[in-house]
């Protein structure tokens, strides 16, 4: 099999309404490529491995998705919810796999189903006429190969090291010696940083700029530069230990902004999935962003376009006002706890102020 097909299977999430055949397709792709195409590296809140499409889309960034539709059911309201959520969380590339097409006895029904699917894609501002739709079955190797050829054509995911520098602050220390320095530790989320770079600390109670005077790696070694994925200690000149704190971020100047109000799509855990019987009764919860948690007031809750007072689980829209500003951006993921219990995870769809 072409290596690009195997590589693409690692960058694509497969989502579909219950009963659409998504699980069978994932297993077929795993057999064909030797790689299970489901990313399970989540932060703060870990979902079970076999989980709904809504959960997957509200955890971890997705560059592209394959939307699975059952030929027996066609696009369902749940399918539309997944597509709406994909658009809201910034999924750029979509392909469609219509499973169980052997159930379509009338050949004309396939054309009708394709027209319905393209109209749904168009409704959510995807280039409907350009999106590939593969008809077949997870049991047909030729159909799986065709789908993998489609996903291999998706543009490569931008490398994190090529993006502007950003590092969530985990701990703050003071270095000893004749010229004390403040040291901030954390894992570089994206970009690169070099000795001599100016960085900006953003979020919570303070903000400002400082200069990187040394980079310490995890084993105590020093380096002239470090990139995304590396745990480091950054020695800074121009800030005191009291001026920075865990939960802030260090970023390339002008690339990060702290805000305290946002809108989000959230998957709230229902009671039978480890959640609470009723969630957000007091309309307050702890919102976990990277290395910090902040109390937030939920101003608006909505499910299926209906405003609600509390949530009993499922995909939920909410508007939130935080007690302190946090460095955030559209598409950023977070988790939520209420009374010490993990109750959901979501993605920011709009920043208000």
């Amino acid at each position: 099999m072409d290596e690009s097909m195997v590589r693409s299977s690692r960058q694509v999430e497969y989502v579909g309404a219950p009963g659409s055949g998504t699980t069978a397709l994932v297993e077929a792709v795993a057999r064909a490529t030797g790689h299970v195409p489901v990313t399970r590296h989540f932060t703060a809140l870990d979902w079970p491995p076999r989980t709904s499409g809504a959960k997957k889309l509200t955890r971890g960034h997705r560059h592209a998705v394959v939307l699975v539709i059952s030929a027996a059911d066609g696009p369902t309201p749940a399918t539309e919810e997944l597509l709406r959520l994909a658009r809201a969380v910034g999924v750029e590339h979509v392909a469609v796999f219509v499973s169980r097409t052997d159930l379509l006895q009338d050949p004309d029904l396939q054309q009708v189903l394709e027209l319905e699917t393209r109209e749904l894609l168009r409704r959510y501002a995807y280039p409907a006429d350009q999106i590939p739709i593969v008809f077949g079955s997870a049991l047909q190797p030729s159909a799986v190969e065709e789908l993998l050829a489609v996903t291999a054509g998706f543009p490569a995911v931008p490398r994190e090291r090529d993006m502007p520098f950003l590092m969530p602050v985990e701990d703050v220390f003071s270095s000893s010696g004749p010229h004390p320095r403040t040291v901030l530790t954390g894992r570089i989320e994206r970009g690169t940083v070099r000795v001599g770079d100016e960085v900006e600390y953003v979020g919570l109670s303070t903000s400002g700029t400082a200069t990187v005077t040394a980079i310490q790696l995890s084993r105590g070694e020093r380096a002239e530069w470090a990139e995304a994925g590396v745990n480091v200690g950054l020695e800074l000149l121009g800030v005191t230990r009291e001026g920075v704190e865990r939960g802030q971020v260090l970023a390339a100047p002008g690339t990060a902004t702290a805000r305290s109000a946002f809108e989000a799509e959230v998957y709230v855990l229902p009671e039978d999935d480890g959640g609470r019987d009723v969630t957000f009764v007091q309309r307050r919860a702890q919102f976990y962003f990277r290395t910090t948690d902040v109390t937030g007031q939920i101003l608006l809750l909505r499910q299926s376009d209906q405003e609600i007072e509390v949530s009993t689980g499922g995909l939920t829209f909410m508007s939130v006002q935080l007690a302190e500003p946090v460095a955030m951006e559209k598409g950023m993921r977070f988790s939520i706890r209420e009374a010490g219990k993990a109750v959901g995870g979501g993605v920011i769809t709009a920043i208000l102020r």
Side-chain angles (χ1 to χ4, degrees):
M1 173 173 290
D2 191 306
E3 175 60 27
S4 64
M5 293 185 183
V6 178
R7 185 173 61 251
S8 70
S9 74
R10 300 171 182 169
Q11 301 175 348
V12 178
E13 185 68 87
Y14 291 65
V15 298
S20 63
T22 308
T23 300
L25 180 59
V26 165
E27 292 172 350
V29 170
R31 287 193 298 270
T33 64
H35 175 81
V36 179
V38 179
T39 302
R40 295 179 184 156
H41 302 291
F42 303 136
T43 58
L45 196 64
D46 203 1
W47 304 111
R50 296 193 182 277
T51 188
S52 75
K55 281 185 187 176
K56 291 176 182 177
L57 288 172
T58 51
R59 306 303 305 156
H61 178 67
R62 295 293 174 264
H63 179 66
V65 300
V66 170
L67 182 65
V68 185
I69 298 175
S70 169
D73 303 322
T76 65
T79 306
E80 184 170 359
E81 278 293 291
L82 286 173
L83 195 57
R84 180 179 66 82
L85 183 57
R87 170 54 72 191
V89 302
V91 171
E92 300 176 31
H93 307 287
V94 176
V96 178
F97 186 84
V98 181
S99 65
R100 303 168 182 163
T101 51
D102 55 311
L103 300 177
L104 295 175
Q105 302 299 325
D106 186 347
D108 292 337
L109 291 178
Q110 179 171 316
Q111 185 176 4
V112 172
L113 183 54
E114 180 174 346
L115 290 173
E116 289 179 352
T117 302
R118 293 197 186 281
E119 177 56 34
L120 182 60
L121 290 163
R122 191 173 292 109
R123 194 179 307 162
Y124 289 96
Y126 282 105
D129 296 333
Q130 302 172 29
I131 288 179
I133 300 178
V134 177
F135 286 83
S137 165
L139 302 178
Q140 295 175 314
S142 59
V144 175
E145 290 276 344
E146 182 182 354
L147 179 63
L148 287 172
V150 165
T151 59
F154 287 151
V157 179
R159 296 182 302 178
E160 291 181 336
R161 68 183 182 185
D162 294 334
M163 303 172 71
F165 168 71
L166 187 140
M167 186 189 85
V169 177
E170 294 181 0
D171 285 300
V172 182
F173 303 96
S174 292
S175 65
S176 58
H179 303 289
R181 295 286 190 272
T182 301
V183 178
L184 276 60
T185 64
R187 181 178 182 273
I188 301 176
E189 184 174 304
R190 62 190 187 213
T192 59
V193 62
R194 297 179 180 276
V195 173
D197 282 354
E198 185 179 57
V199 294
E200 184 176 16
Y201 50 96
V202 179
L204 303 178
S205 58
T206 61
S207 63
T209 58
T211 301
V212 179
T213 55
I215 299 174
Q216 302 174 12
L217 303 182
S218 56
R219 295 181 179 179
E221 303 169 355
R222 294 211 168 202
E224 289 299 309
W225 67 282
E227 64 180 4
V230 177
N231 289 294
V232 297
L234 299 184
E235 189 177 278
L236 303 181
L237 175 65
V239 63
T240 64
R241 181 176 179 177
E242 293 72 27
V244 288
E245 58 184 304
R246 172 185 169 89
Q248 292 180 309
V249 301
L250 287 180
T255 62
T257 306
R259 294 287 185 266
S260 58
F262 62 93
E263 294 177 348
E265 295 279 2
V266 175
Y267 186 87
V268 180
L269 287 171
E271 186 178 16
D272 60 5
D273 199 12
R276 301 165 66 90
D277 54 345
V278 178
T279 313
F280 309 132
V281 176
Q282 301 297 324
R283 290 293 188 96
R284 296 181 71 85
Q286 291 297 114
F287 291 81
Y288 286 72
F289 301 91
R290 296 187 177 106
T291 58
T292 190
D293 66 289
V294 180
T295 301
Q297 179 72 41
I298 300 171
L299 306 178
L300 175 68
L301 278 176
R302 191 168 66 231
Q303 282 183 320
S304 301
D305 294 325
Q306 297 292 322
E307 190 169 343
I308 57 176
E309 289 301 317
V310 297
S311 174
T312 55
L315 188 61
T316 305
F317 168 88
M318 62 172 57
S319 176
V320 180
Q321 175 68 54
L322 298 176
E324 293 184 275
V326 171
M328 65 174 69
E329 57 198 13
K330 185 177 178 181
M332 180 177 170
R333 269 66 179 175
F334 59 90
S335 61
I336 309 175
R337 299 182 75 89
E338 188 182 60
K341 184 180 181 66
V343 295
V347 59
I348 295 174
T349 56
I351 296 175
L352 303 180
R353 60 180 179 273

